[in-house]
Amino acid sequence: MLNYWFAIEDPASATLWNKASFGPEIQPTLFPATGLGQRPFPNLLQALQRSAVNGLFYESYHQPIPPAAIMRQVPTIVSLDMAHLRPFTPDRNFFTRNVLANLLQSGGKEEQAHKTARLAAGFVVWSEWACQELVHNFEIDPSRVLVARTGVDLADWDSTQEKFQITRRYQTSLPERIRVLFAGDDFEALGGELLLEVFRRDTELADLCELHLITRKASVATYLEELAPPPQLHLHLHPAHTPAELYLNSDIYVLPALRPTSPSHLATALAAGTPVIASRVEGLTELVKDNEDGLLVKPNDPESLTEALWRLVRDPELRYELGKAGRVRAEREFEAARNTTRILNFVKQQTGRSAALSANGAAGFTALNYHSQYSHPLNAPEK
């Protein structure tokens, strides 16, 4: 039996992996992240040293990429997501900057960080844009990068949607305003400030809409202190725990990102059948097709964003058609069960190849059967 470990940062990812079909040949063990510090998985290395592990799947969204000490001994697949954006500098593509920042947190200089990246058995990313950045800027073999847009358990989502619609039938005082939803950790980089600016400028639009912001308190606090809120402004914190009703009860999902990104929240909006407005930046142009399943606007352009919002506010039929097409796209590209299977196959393929290449190298960890007390669903606690 193959012993695969999953160092999972995102609670939504843990839920998806709990439902994954591993087959009889795989024993999975989960290590959930314990925080956003330098050592998010504090007992992972020690546990690995006491076990025979065939492969490690490691999420590096906000967390450091695993140190070389781990990747030299255990074939490691690193999953990267661009939902979290670090400060941009003109002299470096910020995907590379993000990956370098995560690597440098694990110790070492920039040149060592590039070498550490190449120790990974493979990478999983959300977009072809991110894949090309790894290939060109880190000299990663394209065969070691999988583009897989996991994100939504459609079966569970549809059950939630059905219950939501039943509840809605008994509501007699639904809001008359158009419900506009923004979701993202990095409020400024994902265009939250730009969206507030649009509502500050266009008071007529603000009067017609409810604006819902799902973000982290620290990232939005500065803007809210200076804001005379437009009517019906709602703030919801901690996107990882967003109730599905916020998406199902929205008329428009807006992501006016200033820079390239490919956040998983957009997949949730598409699955909900919510029409999307997004910026024409790398990453998003792969996820939204203009005038087919959403509208694309110029980045950092309040006029372009205002025009798109008015277009959907005035045309409920267009909102319906775009939302319906977005749901079809979610079924085709974002269905979690199918994509987690693709990722698992990739993990087995790449870790197997990595183990074969290093068969003549140092011996692996000694087995103390650390995982034997755990069984699927993934449930290993942090010590």
Side-chain angles (χ1 to χ4, degrees), residues 29-48:
T29 301
L30 171 70
F31 277 80
T34 58
L36 300 178
Q38 291 285 323
R39 298 177 66 238
F41 307 102
N43 67 333
L44 179 61
L45 180 57
Q46 292 86 346
L48 284 168

Side-chain angles (χ1 to χ4, degrees), residues 222-272:
T222 302
Y223 304 106
L224 293 181
E225 289 174 1
E226 302 172 354
L227 175 68
Q232 303 300 314
L233 172 64
H234 301 276
L235 176 63
H236 309 275
L237 304 180
H238 305 300
H241 304 288
T242 301
E245 286 79 2
L246 284 173
Y247 286 88
L248 294 171
N249 200 35
S250 295
D251 299 295
I252 304 170
Y253 176 82
V254 184
L255 191 71
L258 308 185
R259 303 156 191 154
T261 183
S262 54
S264 56
H265 300 305
L266 193 146
T268 305
L270 293 173

